[in-house]
Amino acid sequence: EVQLVETGGDLIQPGGSVRLSCAASGFTVSSSYMSWVRQAPGKGLEWVSVIYIDGKTYYADSVKGRFTISRDNSKNTLYLQMNSLRAADTAVYYCARGWAPFDYWGQGTLVTVSS
Amino acid sequence: QSALTQPRSVSGSPGQSVTISCTGTSSDVGAYNFVSWYQQHPGKAPKLMIFDVNKRPSGVPNRFSGSKSGNTASLTISGLQAEDEADYYCCAYAGRYVVFGGGTKLTVL
């Protein structure tokens, strides 16, 4: 059974950093496109980043230069390093398998950026 | 990377059909047959309902169908049931990025 479990969400001060993790089971992260999608409170879904099977990475303009997606094949885990955080980054962050479509989603982890 | 346009809300009675539209541009919806639709119940993660414009993942009822014409994609739900009440999001591949619609709240009257 495919499972994705995100951890790492927290209350962060503006300008701060946090790293989200997404532990996968039931499939191999390195053999899949893997993405991060976020949802601000009461708002819609927003694609954040993707890592291709070959390791190429792409980002939404809103996070480019501040966020970094990566994976640890030995741990079968996806990461999102988030730096220079802003209030507008406050959201539930979902990891998802795939790249349009996203066929499996985790339950999400909440990142709140506030002083 | 502008959001796709969806109606804010639609409604229908049990047993009826509803269609949710999703309008993009020639760079996203119109450029590729990689349109997908997601259902999200309150407090839950999104669930894939349609991919590649009109394909259904295993386990999704055939009451859900998708189509596309030009820069507009559509999701049709026939034989509405109470459990279909949720938010629905379209999503389109656009090369090196993906864009979502703003979401449509479906109310089953």
Side-chain angles (χ1 to χ4, degrees):
Chain A
E1 181 195 4
V2 171
Q3 272 200 313
L4 296 165
V5 179
E6 303 96 332
T7 55
D10 206 347
L11 172 62
I12 309 293
Q13 291 201 337
S17 299
V18 69
R19 188 178 80 159
L20 306 183
S21 300
C22 171
S25 57
F27 73 100
T28 303
V29 163
S30 61
S31 299
S32 305
Y33 292 88
M34 295 295 298
S35 304
W36 288 96
V37 177
R38 69 184 180 183
Q39 186 170 35
K43 303 296 184 183
L45 302 172
E46 179 188 16
W47 169 72
V48 172
S49 181
V50 63
I51 184 165
Y52 282 12
I53 296 170
D54 65 5
K56 286 191 175 72
T57 60
Y58 297 101
Y59 300 91
D61 288 345
S62 57
V63 308
K64 202 173 296 182
R66 300 187 299 123
F67 290 11
T68 303
I69 189 172
S70 63
R71 65 189 180 212
D72 184 330
N73 297 341
S74 66
K75 296 182 178 178
N76 210 33
T77 298
L78 179 73
Y79 300 101
L80 186 67
Q81 177 67 43
M82 305 164 62
N83 299 330
S84 302
L85 283 163
R86 309 164 179 166
D89 296 317
T90 294
V92 172
Y93 285 75
Y94 295 100
C95 75
R97 189 179 78 169
W99 175 227
F102 309 103
D103 60 355
Y104 287 94
W105 298 63
Q107 86 288 348
T109 187
L110 176 62
V111 174
T112 303
V113 183
S114 174
S115 54
Chain B
Q1 299 182 8
S2 299
L4 307 174
T5 300
Q6 296 182 234
R8 281 186 155 264
S9 64
V10 297
S11 62
S13 299
Q16 289 186 331
S17 294
V18 295
T19 296
I20 300 171
S21 62
C22 169
T23 301
T25 70
S26 57
S27 297
D28 40 60
V29 174
Y32 308 94
N33 286 327
F34 295 135
V35 176
S36 48
W37 290 88
Y38 302 86
Q39 177 192 66
Q40 187 179 37
H41 288 108
K44 300 294 187 183
K47 176 186 175 184
L48 177 65
M49 304 302 284
I50 294 287
F51 68 99
D52 295 355
V53 175
N54 56 15
K55 297 182 174 67
R56 276 178 291 105
S58 173
V60 172
N62 60 10
R63 303 184 294 104
F64 291 83
S65 62
S67 62
K68 190 185 88 166
S69 178
N71 297 337
T72 298
S74 299
L75 172 71
T76 298
I77 310 170
S78 57
L80 268 179
Q81 298 183 3
E83 59 262 36
D84 298 334
E85 185 162 295
D87 293 325
Y88 291 84
Y89 295 90
C90 61
C91 174
Y93 172 81
R96 293 180 178 180
Y97 65 94
V98 148
V99 61
F100 282 95
T104 298
K105 181 174 180 56
L106 168 62
T107 301
V108 180
L109 303 170

